[in-house]
């Protein structure tokens, strides 16, 4: 009898272990490596994917040397750093801020919008006032370096000049994580397109465009020219393609093809999608070569990959 009980207990332990998920976190660009490390601290201790993605992207937001996210981000054409961010959890709950100024961690304000209000999205002055009410401090986000970039741009009157496609003038951190309970969450945060028109909002804070998570299927994030991503509800499209059975890479590729079909200027822009499915499989696809992403899983550690790209594979 005792032996039976012990056997049943062992079987239960083994089957629970077999069902436990391997955590995985993926994020955009090379700076995703550092963000993944912070997210992994949360995931490896059994933490929630939502906490992992918030913790991860906060690293990038706080880096003054990153010219496309948070403090130190390239300002708009009037010299203001304006930030966009969104977050989404395993229940489909989500929060977002756009055109937010003077706040170091827009992702955490987005989380407060999700958790403390009955709304999804706050913008501009209203979002900033809400942040102060929630205890966030006013922070000057325009670093000397970013101001110098802006002054140079203004002096050269570069408004019409083409910017380098993969350069730091537009790169977002988007992150998707899967935790040990098999739950997915995502976060996305950016200072948006450099020297944009004052008031411009890109894809990054728009749920379904810059980021989307469906806990039954997977999650996706976008980076690059936000206007093109919004036109096809990019991240939502990637998740729906995964729902139809496509692998993360193939879903990202099909979304890039859709985007190409709707944007005649596609050869002049960069857009990359990155996706993680419920099984922990991940992949990316972009228009121009040069988009990198970071993935951290327990078997391989933290690795940097080149996303497959349309223009690297096919003749122009
Ligand atoms: N998608 C962002 C935007 O358009 C910027 C980027 O990822 O490069 O604001």
């Amino acid at each position: 009898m005792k032996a039976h009980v012990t056997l049943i207990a062992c079987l239960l332990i083994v089957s629970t272990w077999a069902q436990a998920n391997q955590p995985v976190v993926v994020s955009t660009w090379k700076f995703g490596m550092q963000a993944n490390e912070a997210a992994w601290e949360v995931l490896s201790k059994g933490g929630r994917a939502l906490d992992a993605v918030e913790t991860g992207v906060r690293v990038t937001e706080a880096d003054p040397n990153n010219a496309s996210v948070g403090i130190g981000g390239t300002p708009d054409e009037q010299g203001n750093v304006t930030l966009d961010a969104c977050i989404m959890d395993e229940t489909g709950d989500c929060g977002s801020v756009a055109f937010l100024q003077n706040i170091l961690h827009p992702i955490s304000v987005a989380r407060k919008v999700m958790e403390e209000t009955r709304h999804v999205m706050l913008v501009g002055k209203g979002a900033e006032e809400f942040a102060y009410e929630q205890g966030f401090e006013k922070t000057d986000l325009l670093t000397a370096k970013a101001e110098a970039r802006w002054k140079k741009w203004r002096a050269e009157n570069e408004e019409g000049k083409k910017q380098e496609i993969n350069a730091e003038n537009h790169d977002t951190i988007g992150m998707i994580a899967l935790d040990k309970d098999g739950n997915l969450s995502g976060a996305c945060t950016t200072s948006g397109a450099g020297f944009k028109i004052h008031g411009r909002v890109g894809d990054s804070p728009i749920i379904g465009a810059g980021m989307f998570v469906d806990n039954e299927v997977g999650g996706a994030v976008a980076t690059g020219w936000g206007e093109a991503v919004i036109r096809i509800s990019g991240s939502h499209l990637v998740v729906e393609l995964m729902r139809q059975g496509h692998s993360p890479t193939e879903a990202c590729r099909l979304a890039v093809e859709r985007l190409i079909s709707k944007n005649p200027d596609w050869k002049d822009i960069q857009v990359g999608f990155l996706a993680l499915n419920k099984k922990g499989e991940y992949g990316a696809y972009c228009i121009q070569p040069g988009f990198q992403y970071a993935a951290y899983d327990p078997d391989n550690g933290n690795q940097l990959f080149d996303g497959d790209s349309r223009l690297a594979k096919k003749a122009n």
Side-chain angles (χ1 to χ4, degrees), residues 62-68 71-72 143 145 149 168:
D63 180 358
N65 294 315
N66 186 311
S68 53
I71 189 165
T143 59
K145 253 180 161 175
R149 274 200 306 282
E168 289 239 305

Side-chain angles (χ1 to χ4, degrees), residues 68-81:
S68 53
V69 180
I71 189 165
T74 300
D76 65 15
E77 63 181 15
Q78 295 180 14
N80 308 291
V81 179

Side-chain angles (χ1 to χ4, degrees), residues 148-214:
R149 274 200 306 282
W150 171 66
K151 284 191 173 148
K152 182 167 178 275
W153 171 82
R154 213 179 38 165
E156 293 171 359
N157 192 19
E158 288 185 344
E159 257 169 288
K161 186 179 155 189
K162 273 193 189 171
Q163 294 173 341
E164 248 186 274
I165 280 168
N166 282 307
E168 289 239 305
N169 55 32
H170 69 86
D171 292 342
T172 295
I173 180 122
M175 178 179 273
I176 305 287
L178 178 70
D179 64 27
K180 70 156 195 358
D181 295 326
N183 286 324
L184 289 154
S185 291
C188 185
T189 176
T190 191
S191 53
F195 314 123
K196 60 195 172 188
I197 295 175
H198 186 60
R200 179 264 190 188
V201 169
D203 60 316
S204 306
I206 298 178
I207 301 292
M211 189 270 294
F212 192 72
V213 172
D214 184 322

Side-chain angles (χ1 to χ4, degrees), residues 9-23 178-182 278-279:
C10 285
L11 285 173
L12 273 175
I13 289 166
V14 170
S15 75
T16 313
W17 173 77
Q19 279 166 18
N21 290 275
Q22 299 250 62
L178 178 70
D179 64 27
K180 70 156 195 358
D181 295 326
K278 189 80 179 162
K279 289 187 264 178

Side-chain angles (χ1 to χ4, degrees), residues 60-126:
T60 323
E61 286 182 339
D63 180 358
N65 294 315
N66 186 311
S68 53
V69 180
I71 189 165
T74 300
D76 65 15
E77 63 181 15
Q78 295 180 14
N80 308 291
V81 179
T82 73
L83 305 176
D84 297 338
C86 73
I87 195 160
M88 192 164 193
D89 75 8
E90 73 278 4
T91 69
D93 206 3
C94 47
S96 158
V97 288
F99 187 44
L100 176 65
Q101 297 182 59
N102 302 313
I103 300 291
L104 186 58
H105 287 301
I107 197 66
S108 298
V109 185
R111 184 166 175 175
K112 288 284 185 199
V113 174
M114 173 174 93
E115 291 179 340
E116 305 297 333
T117 79
R118 58 202 162 91
H119 307 304
V120 166
M121 191 165 192
L122 295 180
V123 305
K125 276 276 162 242

